[in-house]
Amino acid sequence: MTLRDRVAVAGVGRTELSKNSGVSTLTLALRAIRAALDDAGLSLRDVDGVATHGVGDSAPAPVVAAALGIRDVAFMLNQSGGGGLSATVVGYAAAAIATGQAEVVVCWRAINARSEFRMGGTGRDAPPLAEFQYQVPYGYLAPPQQFAMLARELLDGGALDERVLGTVSVTQRANAARNPRAMLRTPLSLDDYLASPWVVEPLRLLDCCLETDAAVALVLTSAARARDLARPPVLIRAFATGGGDTLYSTRRTTLAPSAAALMAPRLFGAAGLRPEDIDVAELYDAFTPLVPLQLEDYGLCPPGGAAEFILAGQTAIGGRLPVNTHGGHLSEGYVHGLNHVAEAVDQLRGDAGDRQVAGARTALVSAQPGYVGGVTSALILGGSR
């Protein structure tokens, strides 16, 4: 059974993006869910499914379901894991609706990642990864350290240089300047990027995503029901997962291409589309090297052509394939991937204001491409306008 166009995103809700929300992750989740239901024109009485992911830093699905007053939860997804799972929350919820397990599912990610549980910060439980015991003695713990290894391989191999990484950061900041929700809106130049301090060489401060307190929620229901609701439905054309290797896998001799390269043919096949059919791409950008990597791994530019594609301005609004039109994790805020889905919905509804991509009908949304936790996922969404 195909998922294609059977389920739709009917509502989107967001809280403010900030460095200190002043409230719990449960409160953030409930505020975003309420906003998403209002956007869809639905009520709490309509909800019979809940779905989220987290790494011990959020309000779990059973707690949120109870707080919403859902007495008989027909579908519940409470995934333990990070950014590689961000698309699975939506994909699995869509599958539950398509197979009749639930009728209306709310998906969310709530995180106090600046004021409370910082990624890689102290005071956290060790992740349940066997290789972690081999990292701790060397102080190799935080995400910037991990992804610096990928950046070093790409730079040393000649696939990228600092101008390319800088252009990713500068271009996404220009997009964020058009986004009233974005945390960082001051324009950047390449000189600004080059002057930013090292975090873990070769990654500078402006190569790294923001630490953000926020929540984003989506309401999913059948495409047939969504057509009668308050907002234009955005259809889920395809969903796929992939992976199996991590940064430390003994099966890998190189870090590129990523797990997304293996998954991409299945994703596009499920959608009945080709990479050149994508109008806008919201690519997981915890760190700048992930953008050129995924452009090639998803076939969105020619093999070996990501650097030229980016430097030529093709990922800017008005370019061949606008990427991270909201500013992405680098400049809008880091809501662990779900804000990318919300931005794709805005684009396909025509709700993106000054950052709207003209004629956007199809969007690719990717999760972290599999390096941490060994899993990746992605969605292709289609507009109905």
Side-chain angles (χ1 to χ4, degrees):
M1 182 184 66
T2 180
L3 184 62
R4 189 188 306 173
D5 295 346
R6 298 181 62 191
V7 178
V9 180
V12 176
R14 302 170 171 94
T15 67
E16 179 188 7
L17 299 152
S18 74
K19 293 183 178 181
N20 188 352
S21 70
V23 298
S24 68
T25 53
L26 175 60
T27 297
L28 289 172
L30 296 176
R31 287 176 179 176
I33 290 168
R34 170 63 77 180
L37 288 168
D38 289 346
D39 186 54
L42 292 170
S43 72
L44 289 171
R45 293 187 300 274
D46 296 303
V47 179
D48 61 353
V50 293
T52 192
H53 77 101
V55 285
D57 58 0
S58 189
V63 173
V64 170
L68 292 173
I70 305 173
R71 298 189 63 186
D72 183 21
V73 184
F75 173 76
M76 184 180 297
L77 180 66
N78 191 57
Q79 294 194 100
S80 176
L85 296 174
S86 58
T88 68
V89 173
V90 179
Y92 292 151
I97 292 168
T99 55
Q101 297 178 65
E103 294 185 6
V104 175
V105 180
V106 292
C107 307
W108 74 92
R109 181 68 168 105
I111 186 169
N112 276 328
R114 176 65 185 178
S115 66
E116 191 174 0
F117 288 117
R118 299 174 69 177
M119 295 283 176
T122 59
R124 303 289 307 274
D125 291 337
L129 301 172
E131 61 266 22
F132 196 72
Q133 63 186 307
Y134 304 113
Q135 302 171 48
V136 172
Y138 301 97
Y140 183 60
L141 307 173
Q145 296 171 315
Q146 296 166 337
F147 284 92
M149 300 298 101
L150 172 65
R152 176 54 65 198
E153 178 179 309
L154 296 173
L155 289 164
D156 287 354
L160 304 177
D161 61 32
E162 60 185 7
R163 295 175 307 135
V164 179
L165 300 184
T167 301
V168 170
S169 188
V170 169
T171 300
Q172 292 190 197
R173 181 64 64 85
N175 296 345
R178 305 181 183 209
N179 178 3
R181 285 189 302 272
M183 293 178 71
L184 297 180
R185 302 183 64 196
T186 303
L188 288 177
S189 68
L190 189 56
D191 286 341
D192 293 329
Y193 167 83
L194 294 172
S196 66
W198 299 115
V199 175
V200 182
E201 195 173 352
L203 295 179
R204 294 176 164 88
L205 179 64
L206 293 176
D207 289 307
C208 303
C209 67
L210 299 172
E211 294 178 310
T212 309
D213 289 8
V216 173
L218 307 169
V219 176
L220 272 60
T221 192
S222 69
R225 183 173 185 176
R227 292 188 187 100
D228 296 327
L229 296 179
R231 305 301 310 281
V234 169
L235 302 174
I236 297 174
R237 302 296 308 272
F239 159 68
T241 62
D245 291 337
T246 71
L247 284 163
Y248 322 100
S249 175
T250 57
R251 296 188 298 176
R252 297 184 69 101
T253 57
T254 63
L255 294 177
S258 72
L262 295 174
M263 182 187 71
R266 291 191 285 108
L267 177 71
F268 285 105
L273 297 171
R274 301 168 299 172
E276 50 265 40
D277 295 320
I278 300 298
D279 298 316
V280 60
E282 311 299 345
L283 302 179
Y284 199 94
D285 59 321
F287 303 94
T288 55
L290 294 180
V291 173
L293 178 83
Q294 292 174 95
L295 285 171
E296 295 190 23
D297 287 356
Y298 282 103
L300 301 171
C301 71
E308 180 181 354
F309 195 77
I310 290 168
L311 292 174
Q314 300 292 13
T315 60
I317 295 173
R320 160 67 187 86
L321 180 69
V323 172
N324 295 341
T325 45
H326 50 331
H329 292 145
L330 298 173
S331 285
E332 186 197 46
Y334 185 73
V335 198
H336 229 165
L338 213 60
N339 53 323
H340 285 37
V341 184
E343 173 65 12
V345 172
D346 281 354
Q347 289 287 341
L348 297 175
R349 283 176 169 180
D351 285 349
D354 291 343
R355 66 188 188 281
Q356 181 67 49
V357 174
R361 298 280 298 170
T362 307
L364 168 68
V365 185
S366 72
Q368 191 270 110
Y371 291 111
V372 178
V375 63
T376 189
S377 54
L379 298 158
I380 293 178
L381 306 179
S384 60
R385 299 185 287 134

